[in-house]
Amino acid sequence: MSPLPPTRARRRLATAAAALLLLSACQSAPPASSANDTTSVDDGTTLTMWTRSPTATFSQTLVDAYNASHKNKVELTVFPADSYQQKVGTAAGAKQLPDILAADVVYAPNYASKGVYLDLSARVDTLPFKDKLAPAHVEAATHDGKVYGVPHDIDLSAVFYNKVLFSRAGLDPENPPTTLEGLYEAAKKIDALGDVDGYFYGGACPGCMLFTTWPMIWASGDTVLDQEGTASTLDNGSATDVYATMRRMYAEGIVPTSAKNESGPTWTQLFSEGKIGIQPMGATALQGMKEGAGLQIGVAPIPGPKGGRSSFVGGDVLGISSNSTKAAAAWDFISWTLSESAQVEVLAKNKNITVRSDLAENTYAKQDNRLRVFNLLAGEGQTPISVNFGKTFNDTNGPWTAAVTDALFGSRDVGETLKQHNGTITESLASGG
């Protein structure tokens, strides 16, 4: 796994650390009593853990493997992504956080600085591979030189396509399209089969849409935000081409009508059932899909209208909550998730990207070219972060939702639609929505 470019990592920290979610109820500094504690115990302790829905399958895989091989037991609770930050903020104020807390990497600086996590510096220092952990994730969870979290997962967007349907439609399953226009043509041929649809997206899921369409804009050399993350640049020609193609596929019936109301929870279901030919989605989705006679999954970089490639790189960090009284047992689980046995024999074996660069070229990655594609994209993708990213782009009532909905399903010219909404998005980025 290649690290994100240093400038991008610094930008992530500088912007995300400012504020995405202010946990006003938890303003005290992180407890110092356990700062030098490196204890790890496996004595039959029951631990609680929270994660958000996009990471549910990934986290559960690790929890199941740990529970099967240790005396300690971890009980995982999954919350919807759109309410997760509010849930964490409320629990932090009431000191009712779980023992172990997973969080989107863009929120890690805020959590580290607001006392949500315990200081793990001494414990992390005991890891012989600490310098091999995904650097952007570690830096995001570091505050005032202290480490409060470690990488949990790396997720990134890529094109998923069904090789079975490619073959049925007379397409080469080993050579997926390298342009957006090529994706459209392939999807059209698959849709013509009659019993399946060519393409799918979560039209009512703002996070899904930016995760899968912004790389198309980047692949063309254009941007979505300015360097400071305070202004939108979505009124460009590449963005117009991208959303015009998405609208065209919906209008022509290549994308099923259900896409208009798909808000995220089931946005990969149709593809996993072998009913969709092409769908960009997150790399972690590969783990939860069962391949068979009707579904053989190929993956490829997300292309731009005329070529190029890119990816949206994200993921989660994992830490021990500040109100946990079971830190030693919690660290036993967390440190185990970073071990070679967990990273290779649990995660890589289940088609996931390892968070350790020294394990990127593992046996399973060498055997499965899809994992090699993911590892390549981890170093080529982007992670645009802004102080007010959440309210502007992830809020279903935010300006990005209105913009992408109009672009996909409206009747006005796509370019004019994006220009109209671009100013509102910029105002939100500057004011906090």
Side-chain angles (χ1 to χ4, degrees):
M1 176 194 65
S2 301
L4 293 174
T7 55
R8 190 178 304 138
R10 288 196 296 269
R11 180 183 167 202
R12 170 185 296 189
L13 295 175
T15 54
L20 277 176
L21 175 67
L22 294 178
L23 300 176
S24 57
C26 189
Q27 293 292 329
S28 60
S33 60
S34 61
N36 297 316
D37 193 349
T38 61
T39 306
S40 175
V41 299
D42 179 24
D43 58 0
T45 298
T46 297
L47 299 160
T48 54
M49 176 179 168
W50 287 1
T51 195
R52 57 197 180 100
S53 52
T55 320
T57 300
F58 178 92
S59 299
Q60 190 67 61
T61 298
L62 284 169
V63 167
D64 288 346
Y66 179 83
N67 287 349
S69 57
H70 291 74
K71 295 178 182 178
N72 293 342
K73 303 303 173 188
V74 178
E75 297 179 347
L76 180 67
T77 301
V78 178
F79 294 97
D82 58 1
S83 62
Y84 193 61
Q85 308 310 321
Q86 181 181 359
K87 179 69 176 179
V88 172
T90 300
K95 300 187 185 302
Q96 294 179 346
L97 289 165
D99 297 300
I100 303 164
L101 181 69
D104 190 319
V105 66
V106 299
Y107 292 96
N110 188 269
Y111 288 0
S113 66
K114 299 300 181 182
V116 175
Y117 283 136
L118 285 180
D119 178 5
L120 299 181
S121 301
R123 290 185 164 100
V124 172
D125 281 342
T126 66
L127 301 175
F129 48 79
K130 69 174 185 177
D131 293 334
K132 305 299 182 181
L133 296 175
H137 286 57
V138 174
E139 290 177 31
T142 298
H143 177 68
D144 285 344
K146 298 176 181 178
V147 180
Y148 292 92
V150 298
H152 183 45
D153 78 302
I154 294 177
D155 198 11
L156 50 83
S157 53
V159 171
F160 280 51
Y161 64 97
N162 189 338
K163 291 185 175 183
V164 175
L165 297 183
F166 262 59
S167 295
R168 283 184 57 196
L171 300 165
D172 185 350
E174 301 307 322
N175 288 287
T178 56
T179 66
L180 179 56
E181 182 64 22
L183 288 180
Y184 164 77
E185 294 295 341
K188 186 175 181 179
K189 290 182 180 180
I190 293 170
D191 194 70
L193 294 172
D195 58 340
V196 294
D197 289 289
Y199 197 95
F200 194 79
Y201 50 69
C205 175
C208 303
M209 291 308 303
L210 64 85
F211 190 59
T212 57
T213 60
W214 285 9
M216 297 174 181
I217 300 171
W218 298 328
S220 300
D222 275 321
T223 61
V224 295
L225 299 176
D226 66 1
Q227 286 295 318
E228 292 72 32
T230 57
S232 171
T233 59
L234 283 161
D235 57 344
N236 60 64
S238 296
T240 298
D241 289 344
V242 167
Y243 297 109
T245 301
M246 296 296 116
R247 179 191 286 190
R248 179 183 181 188
M249 287 196 286
Y250 184 80
E252 294 180 0
I254 296 172
V255 173
T257 57
S258 61
K260 185 174 183 178
N261 297 315
E262 177 54 65
S263 60
T266 59
W267 77 303
T268 64
Q269 181 176 331
L270 290 177
F271 182 89
S272 69
E273 295 173 350
K275 298 177 181 178
I276 301 294
I278 301 170
Q279 183 179 345
M281 63 182 78
T284 55
L286 184 62
Q287 175 192 357
M289 294 186 182
K290 185 177 181 180
E291 297 179 85
L295 178 64
Q296 293 295 321
I297 301 170
V299 299
I302 296 177
K306 298 180 180 179
R309 65 189 189 190
S310 192
S311 176
F312 194 117
V313 181
D316 294 71
V317 299
L318 201 62
I320 302 173
S321 74
S322 58
N323 60 227
S324 175
T325 59
K326 306 171 183 178
W331 178 246
D332 188 77
F333 170 73
I334 291 176
S335 60
W336 174 84
T337 67
L338 302 174
S339 68
E340 182 172 354
S341 61
Q343 289 290 308
V344 175
E345 296 302 326
V346 177
L347 296 183
K349 185 176 182 179
N350 280 285
K351 309 170 187 177
N352 289 294
I353 306 169
T354 176
V355 302
R356 286 174 51 179
S357 60
D358 58 325
L359 300 178
E361 290 296 324
N362 59 75
T363 300
Y364 301 102
K366 292 178 180 178
Q367 294 174 352
D368 191 337
N369 187 63
R370 297 172 299 187
L371 300 184
R372 296 178 68 87
V373 172
F374 293 154
N375 286 335
L376 173 69
L377 289 174
E380 294 184 353
Q382 298 188 38
T383 311
I385 302 299
S386 169
V387 168
N388 297 314
F389 191 97
K391 284 187 173 294
T392 303
F393 294 111
N394 288 334
D395 189 338
T396 54
N397 296 314
W400 162 246
T401 301
V404 74
T405 299
D406 281 356
L408 294 175
F409 310 113
S411 58
R412 293 175 298 170
D413 176 78
V414 174
E416 290 302 314
T417 297
L418 291 175
K419 288 180 180 179
Q420 177 187 357
H421 285 282
N422 194 66
T424 305
I425 295 173
T426 294
E427 290 177 3
S428 178
L429 290 169
S431 67

